[in-house]
Amino acid sequence: MASRSRTGLSGIRVWVAVAAALSMGVLAAGPAAADPPAPPGTGTATPFDGTPTVGALFRNGLAADHGCSASVVASPGHDLVLTAAHCVHGTAAGWQFVPGYDEGRTPYGVWTVTHAYVDPAWTSGQDPRHDYAILTVADQRLGGRTVGVQDVTGANVLGQAPRSGSTITDVAYNAGLDDQPIRCVTGVYYTDGYPSFNCHGYVGGSSGSPWITGGPGHLTFVVGVIAGLHQGGCYEYTSYSPAFRPDVYQLIARATLGLPADTVPTAGGDGC
């Protein structure tokens, strides 16, 4: 499968494009390589109406396909969004985050990205263990007062890497336009140190989507994002996350303090 973030097509559209290329002789003839069978009991993500804290990330305006997914993470400034580092390039200034995006509707507004922050290990060598990014979004004037995105949507609290056997909910947007998010409730296991889950339906655009767990009271925690190993996964039924360690909290602190932001290098290949 192509990189989770950088394909602008859903899995179906990718195969349509491949079939068309084959018919024109652009690609060598022969059977397409099939994904290995999914593990027994693998579930399937289902579309739903969305949730306020999770949204689609648009790079080229709302008239073009959205790429990655992102989510609001709790912060003192109420202005931070979490996604995958491999989703980001350059400063990301002017990109648009649309929380709760649903079939083209923008129920919680459209929020403009101002800065991007990634771990130095990603900047220097695209270390997949640090494949996460924090974006700041500009405040807005609503109802006669200045508010941040968190004031409108609420936020998930940044948590730690989930334990093997724990249950998470991943909410994601596969690349497209005028679509709905998908979600899957599933169990976590580990692959070479990367939190992992199995659920059908996560293709290009799902990168950066949050792994959410419940906490005490009404708190929700984000404990991972589709990213990391193979930029989130080679097969649509298996997804990975970098394990959240202290470095991710340092990134939140940099963004909260308004320290110099990053110009992010374009991600290389996913190794699939």
Side-chain angles (χ1 to χ4, degrees):
M1 188 183 107
S3 166
R4 286 281 173 90
S5 68
R6 290 180 292 114
T7 177
L9 304 170
S10 69
I12 293 174
R13 290 168 67 190
V14 167
W15 284 112
V16 168
V18 170
L22 284 170
S23 70
M24 294 185 292
V26 175
L27 301 178
D35 290 351
T42 298
T44 300
T46 55
F48 75 117
D49 293 338
T51 188
T53 61
V54 184
L57 195 58
F58 289 80
R59 300 185 182 99
N60 299 302
L62 270 62
D65 285 359
H66 55 73
C68 287
S69 306
S71 62
V72 184
V73 63
S75 68
H78 293 192
D79 61 347
L80 300 186
V81 173
L82 173 68
T83 189
H86 73 261
C87 289
V88 182
H89 58 83
T91 66
W95 294 12
Q96 294 170 310
F97 171 64
V98 186
Y101 184 78
D102 180 27
E103 295 183 313
R105 294 185 290 272
T106 60
Y108 306 100
V110 178
W111 300 80
T112 301
V113 176
T114 56
H115 300 97
Y117 294 85
V118 295
D119 191 275
W122 179 263
T123 303
S124 63
Q126 297 188 7
D127 182 348
R129 294 171 298 179
H130 296 87
D131 187 3
Y132 42 74
I134 297 294
L135 307 178
T136 59
V137 296
D139 290 345
Q140 296 186 13
R141 291 285 295 176
L142 297 174
R145 64 191 185 102
T146 300
V147 297
V149 64
Q150 182 178 329
D151 297 310
V152 176
T153 63
N156 304 308
V157 178
L158 185 65
Q160 297 180 339
R163 296 179 180 177
S164 181
S166 61
T167 299
I168 60 95
T169 300
D170 187 278
V171 177
Y173 289 83
N174 291 327
L177 189 65
D178 294 342
D179 55 346
Q180 287 191 299
I182 59 172
R183 65 181 169 188
C184 186
V185 180
T186 186
V188 174
Y189 63 96
Y190 273 72
T191 304
D192 297 331
Y194 292 89
S196 314
F197 72 77
N198 294 326
C199 190
H200 288 289
Y202 289 89
V203 295
S206 63
S207 283
S209 60
W211 300 24
I212 299 172
T213 63
H218 297 291
L219 286 178
T220 53
F221 290 86
V222 54
V223 297
V225 293
I226 291 184
L229 185 63
H230 297 304
Q231 295 182 7
C234 294
Y235 310 124
E236 53 83 28
Y237 55 76
T238 296
S239 298
Y240 306 111
S241 171
F244 284 179
R245 305 298 186 203
D247 288 350
V248 72
Y249 299 100
Q250 294 175 13
L251 201 60
I252 287 273
R254 283 179 54 207
T256 297
L257 293 171
L259 298 180
D262 296 309
T263 300
V264 184
T266 300
D270 55 23
C272 293

